[in-house]
Amino acid sequence: MSEGELGRKWDRCLADCAVKLGAGLGLGIVFSVLFFKRRTWPIVLGSGMGLGMAYSNCQQDFQAPYLLHGKCVKEQ
Amino acid sequence: MGSSGGTWTNARVPAPLFCRVLTKVGVAGGAVYVAYDQGLLGNGEKGSEVLSKAKAAIPPAVDEWMKYFGWELPAPPKIEFSPSQAWNSGVQTTMSALSVAPSRAQEYTQRGWQYVRDLTK
């Protein structure tokens, strides 16, 4: 794996981490307000699940060095 | 059939429990569906795409809302700091210091020993 590709993987990993943490936090807040009387634990659980999903994605990305990330270009 | 003789009260009738639960489940399910549909729960590449789309969409949206309310936000200060460059320079400095540490330690030891010997002469 080249250094540039490694850097791109780290960038993708950190971006995904931020997105998943935000989504988990948001969904945790929604569930906490709607079902669990504004307790803290659904928010913590949602954030933790988001971080766990991001970690799993990063692990898969780093352990699969032969997969190329390409973009599909539609014919015009 | 006689009238019950009761008086009219101005009591509020609460919404049925089933409707409340259904509304909550609908809102929660909708939130989960929107998160899934926007690619927030997908793989790493989709997550980074979503983040770049959000970065591109937020400043124009903020500007529009500020214009709507008639507020003016001060311009954000330009911070020229690159975390990756700072990290890389830190790693390089640390590694170069570690690589010259043995020879420097030997040199300072010799100098110190020479100084002590000169003192005892």
Side-chain angles (χ1 to χ4, degrees):
Chain A
M1 200 189 306
S2 68
E3 200 171 309
E5 180 62 28
L6 186 67
R8 278 191 289 276
K9 286 195 183 208
W10 271 111
D11 288 343
R12 255 195 315 265
C13 185
L14 291 174
D16 188 45
C17 194
V19 165
K20 295 262 183 321
L21 181 65
L25 190 73
L27 287 177
I29 290 173
V30 166
F31 275 82
S32 169
V33 166
L34 290 177
F35 298 114
F36 299 108
K37 296 176 188 173
R38 299 180 192 179
R39 299 262 167 88
T40 316
W41 68 264
I43 302 171
V44 175
L45 179 66
S47 309
M49 284 173 72
L51 277 177
M53 286 166 68
Y55 182 85
S56 171
N57 286 344
C58 289
Q59 197 174 33
Q60 196 177 22
D61 206 7
F62 279 110
Q63 285 179 355
Y66 303 110
L67 275 178
L68 296 173
H69 290 272
K71 288 184 184 175
C72 181
V73 178
K74 289 183 184 175
E75 289 180 4
Q76 291 182 353
Chain B
M1 278 174 63
S3 65
S4 62
T7 56
W8 287 102
T9 57
N10 201 13
R12 285 185 188 176
V13 178
L17 186 63
F18 180 71
C19 281
R20 270 170 57 189
V21 169
L22 204 62
T23 308
K24 287 183 180 182
V25 168
V27 169
V32 173
Y33 175 74
V34 165
Y36 172 74
D37 191 47
Q38 292 295 317
L40 300 179
L41 305 176
N43 59 13
E45 201 164 314
K46 273 192 184 173
S48 59
E49 274 175 26
V50 165
L51 188 66
S52 55
K53 273 189 210 170
K55 270 190 200 174
I58 284 176
V62 166
D63 284 340
E64 217 174 289
W65 280 103
M66 290 302 114
K67 276 183 197 169
Y68 180 75
F69 285 113
W71 297 341
E72 266 188 45
L73 278 179
K78 281 190 181 178
I79 302 170
E80 287 187 12
F81 175 72
S82 168
S84 60
Q85 269 188 0
W87 175 262
N88 289 342
S89 69
V91 169
Q92 283 169 357
T93 308
T94 306
M95 290 299 129
S96 63
L98 284 174
S99 69
V100 300
S103 52
R104 284 278 170 87
Q106 188 186 15
E107 186 187 326
Y108 291 148
T109 308
Q110 278 179 353
R111 277 195 202 169
W113 182 241
Q114 188 65 38
Y115 178 75
V116 169
R117 279 173 64 182
D118 290 344
L119 280 180
T120 54
K121 276 184 185 174

